[in-house]
Amino acid sequence: MVAMRKWVWGLLALTTACGGARQAMKHGGTGGSGAAPSAEAASEDSRSTTRRYVDEDLGFEIIRPTADWQLDETNERTPEGLAIPVILRHNVSGAQVVLQVAPAVASPTQFAERLTEGLRQHPGFTTTDPAPIPLSDTAVGFDFQVGDGVHGKVAVREGIPGRVLMMLATWPAQAAADVPQSVDALIQGVRPLAGPVTAWKVPQR
């Protein structure tokens, strides 16, 4: 499953780059205290029910719907300059959501169309057509399947000015029926930052 996720995401990154993405402030916590917390407070925050992670540099936040979702920072960048800052894993089902932040060289719809075209060129991949999704006024998404073993979806939305947020979710085909709903809840919790952020950062793993 991990190998499949890396392969699919590598393909998405390549497709995005070929579509025009060649052109080329981290922080988390539960609120805006404006000061670094003590070690005890940081530990307490990492167990907080809000499960909030904020990246000031790339301009996004993530609210995990449940503690079953583990967040790992990667700080990876593709050769094309696309950032892959975090990977989220659902400890119960094996579902994963990878976030990519790209330069806004195209609209979310254009990114989604390029991604579907790229995936459809590879044996074993089937996808739905990109369609609006209720993340924002411009958000677009589509579902895909890899053979009989992996289901997934891609969601693309505008980030802060000059950036686009793209989320790739995959889960085993035999996963419980409520897993796609949990994936949707996590994707809904990924959004651009609104205004300046002054709170401190605590990685929540």
Side-chain angles (χ1 to χ4, degrees):
M1 186 68 180
V2 173
M4 175 61 69
R5 183 266 302 166
K6 289 181 177 178
W7 189 88
V8 172
W9 193 252
L11 175 60
L12 293 180
L14 178 61
T15 303
T16 302
C18 291
R22 294 186 184 89
Q23 306 173 11
M25 311 174 289
K26 203 171 270 182
H27 146 112
T30 59
S33 67
S38 66
E40 182 180 353
S43 175
E44 209 170 285
D45 179 77
S46 69
R47 299 190 301 270
S48 169
T49 56
T50 63
R51 294 173 290 273
R52 183 170 183 253
Y53 175 91
V54 178
D55 188 317
E56 289 183 337
D57 292 336
L58 295 175
F60 70 86
E61 69 175 356
I62 300 174
I63 307 296
R64 292 177 291 158
T66 69
D68 292 334
W69 284 98
Q70 172 186 331
L71 185 150
D72 293 318
E73 295 176 304
T74 69
N75 297 317
E76 295 178 7
R77 283 189 178 272
T78 70
E80 298 78 21
L82 309 179
I84 306 175
V86 296
I87 298 172
L88 296 114
R89 299 176 173 88
H90 191 242
N91 295 323
V92 176
S93 67
Q96 298 184 82
V97 176
V98 181
L99 172 65
Q100 178 171 319
V101 183
V105 296
S107 69
T109 297
Q110 291 169 327
F111 271 116
E113 289 172 345
R114 293 168 183 170
L115 294 173
T116 55
E117 291 171 5
L119 290 178
R120 288 171 177 171
Q121 293 175 8
H122 292 264
F125 278 83
T126 57
T127 80
T128 62
D129 292 328
I133 54 177
L135 294 181
S136 71
D137 292 341
T138 60
V140 177
F142 63 89
D143 297 334
F144 67 88
Q145 188 168 336
V146 188
D148 296 326
V150 177
H151 291 174
K153 64 173 48 186
V154 171
V156 188
R157 65 173 299 167
E158 289 181 343
I160 60 173
R163 300 185 192 273
V164 171
L165 304 177
M166 296 187 288
M167 292 148 277
L168 166 75
T170 55
W171 60 91
Q174 70 273 19
D178 62 345
V179 170
Q181 285 79 17
S182 184
V183 168
D184 286 341
L186 179 61
I187 289 176
Q188 290 168 7
V190 180
R191 53 202 178 205
L193 292 178
V197 178
T198 58
W200 37 268
K201 174 184 182 296
V202 175
Q204 300 179 7
R205 300 180 183 273

